[in-house]
Amino acid sequence: MRFMHSFLTVQTTCSLLGNHQASMDKLATFHNLNPLFLQNTRLSKPHRICSLNFLCVRVRSTTYETPLSLSSLPCPLPKLHFLDEVAKIKTLSSVKVLHAQMIKKETLDNTDEIKSLITSYLEFGDFKSATMVFIMGCPRNYLMWMSFVEELRSFGGNPVEILQVFSELQCGGVIFDSEVLTLILKLCACLKDSWLGVAIHCCLIKRGFDMDVYLKTELISFYGTCWGIERAKQVFGEMSDREGILWNEMILLNLKNERWLKALELFKGMQFSFVKTNISTILKVLRACGKIGALDEGKQIHGYVLRRALDSNLSICDSLITMYSRNNRIKQARTVFDSMKDYSLSSWNAIISSYALFGYFSDAWNLLNEMKRYNLKPDIVTWNCLLSGHSRHSSYEMVLTILRRMQSVGFKPNSSSITSVLQSVIELDSLEFGKEIHGFVIRNGLDNDVYVGTSLLDMYIKSDCLSHAQAVFNAMKKRNIFSWNALISGYSYKGLFEDAEKLLNFMVEEGIKPDLVTWNGLCSGYSLWGLNKEARAVIDRIKSSGLTPNVVSWTALISGCSQNGNHTDALKYLIEMQEEGINPNSATMSILLRVCAGLSLLHKGEEIHCLSIRIGLIEDVFVATALIDMYSKAGNLGIALRVFRNIQKKTLASWNCMIMGFSIHGFGKEAISLFDEMCNAGVQPDAITFTALLSGCKNSGLVKEGWKLFDSMSQDYNIDPTIEHCCCLVDLLGRVGYLDQAWSFIETMPLTPDASIWGALLASCRTHRNLEFAEIAAKNLFKLEPYNSANYVLMMNLYAMSNRWEDVERVKSLMSKRGVKISQVWSWIQIDQTIHMFSAEGKPHPDTGKVYFELYQLVSEMKKLGYVPDMNCIHQNLDKEKKENMLLSHTEKLAITYGLMNTKDGVPIRVIKNTRVCSDCHEAAKYMSLIRNREIFLRDGLRFHHIKEGKCTCNDCW
């Protein structure tokens, strides 16, 4: 046996358990114990034996240097009535006297008497004597042993003393049978005494001891617990006769260590060895098949169950139902359920849970009602299945309805119910109801449950009530690492980093080591607040703590940069992350694609698309949805549509993203057509869907369709219009010139108009030169957004077009008085891997001279085709020539011209502008596309303009 010989070859006579005193007193066998020997038995520190020879075959004869008989005691011993004598015990000496009399009279054969004697020793703190009596006198029963361990602990003793006394008895020559050795090995595993277990194994090998199957099983369990699964595997491999219980133990060890596939391999090997498994192992292996999605293996086990006629076992059928449902095979799960001859409540709960898990709520409720036919009533588990299923599928209102219904039929919510309900409270942003739940928790004593406490903590944090969260945390009697992490993250996301760091220090002082979740929450908070250096430093702190930053750590850093607009840093950290050998996950890819979408970085987005394919994330629906968004906003709607069509299981977000793609490109009718397709596919729209649709209508001038969709929101889909929907409708009516209708709608709308509503009206007034409504809109905007320069610029443009120069100066004066500065205007174009920026202010582009020369040539050609510069786009009181020169300096014209100069014929020009494109630049871009036969994609602050052969997809409605 290779593994055990490696332990024996060093020195079999030396101690594997530590140093023991050189001249240890020899022990007599139990019935020859001298009572005075027991007087000084408690060890000051753990003792270890020095030799493996304590498991000798015969009992050594032992003598004491100073023999002492019972006759030497000061007074004769009366005849005993044990229980009467126990009641008279007042001191430890009297316990020992009683013990001595029992040994002399050989009355230690009654279990109750032995237990009373043990308890007496424990009460006086003589743990060693109690342990010695127990080991030698108690039945070979595991439950009895565990009961003694708990009793020993309750009196302040250390269970390690059991192993110490066992070692001393072995050294004294006491020979124990396999039952005791089995129990000692089990205790070694529980107490992690790895070397004593090895010593027992070594001596069993030396003696050629034919271990019984339970001792073999306990050896495997001991090695798996104390030395690792590979050692246990080695011991198992060296056993010639492998009975079913040994196979089962190895399978369970692998499952315990989450080696799911290895456990399934062992189960298969067990069948090939024609060894029958037990019910418990089948149940656990089926659970593993559900956990890792091993459907084929689960089906094979189902076949094994049928061959062995175990399909009548209710527990196995329940596990089969769960296995199939977790593998998304709800029909097979129902087939198993329907084939059962008898049902238990757990069977009903298993199938109801399966339906609820996948959102088949009507089937789940039908089953709940059907239970009555079988004279079964739902229990708290049934209701909790429904609660968690509805919560999982975002049916939060229904969760609260179920809570009320279960209470009405007499069920009091437990900790599992509360955690599901609190999740719904968070999503519904219903803090007041959350407080009511908190009151219920306190009244019913559920606040001692650490999971309920953590859920309450999470609810208050996400409801922006950190003071309440801190109060809950302070009141928690038991705090796990999740509680600490939740509060640290809460402070971090609020930007209260000093409090978060203090809490982190307190956590360490409490003996809880921060894990990756702790650090990742801190990293995300720093990054979210734009503190990139501090966030990056957290990554280094993770490494110095002995942990390795994972994909979540880097994604937290990248996500914060993205949300803060630090797109350059986000892409930089992606490279650094890959250099660390960590591949991005679907969340990372989605964030990076949003970065590319925000900047319209088509080429970088294409690179990330390729990376998604290489690392196998292209099938992920979240990555695919982010790709649709990126390609739409980067101007390649055709690829976006292709990605959309390739998604097998489209989510509502996928549909919404594609509809919005059509909308921002001005394809309103296509957006409505896709909406109809979505509804036919059985997907219910939400508020975001209608925002996308109404945006498509306003960008395409579809007034009739827009009104119809707006009205259908509440009438057909029970969705209340929000301010965003109202803004889209005002914008739609205003763009096509229906300013009176837009004004009438604003006056009658149920919501208070905000800046977006007045901004949409003002923009339309500028387009249609309506000063009356414009001044009303501007007056409101100057109150709501006193520092937004765009509103002032719009009014100055409108006054300039009407030659009201005094009003232009008045608006300028108002801006100056309020300290409002006109925001910087820029446009940029990417050529190869370089971004070329053209700004109205600041450092000019190095090739500005060449660009202006080319632009003059272009304008000359454009005028021959009928181009007339729109002087109304200049709101300064200048002569015509100066105005025309100012028009030439508009950044989008410069960027388009630079693209025409530096790209090959036939390559589309893609320009990004941070503000709305002016009418003159829009007209000029159409002429440029016609003269140079180029497609031009111009993305401004509102939408996309796809210009080809002198025509734009916006149809001049923007």
Side-chain angles (χ1 to χ4, degrees), residues 811-828:
V811 175
K812 279 185 181 181
S813 177
L814 181 61
M815 288 180 67
S816 178
K817 184 178 179 181
R818 292 182 174 179
V820 180
K821 294 183 179 180
I822 296 177
S823 302
Q824 187 176 3
V825 178
W826 49 256
S827 298
W828 60 261

Side-chain angles (χ1 to χ4, degrees), residues 477-489:
K477 295 179 181 179
K478 295 180 180 178
R479 300 169 186 158
N480 58 14
I481 194 166
F482 304 108
S483 314
W484 289 93
N485 287 347
L487 196 55
I488 289 170
S489 294

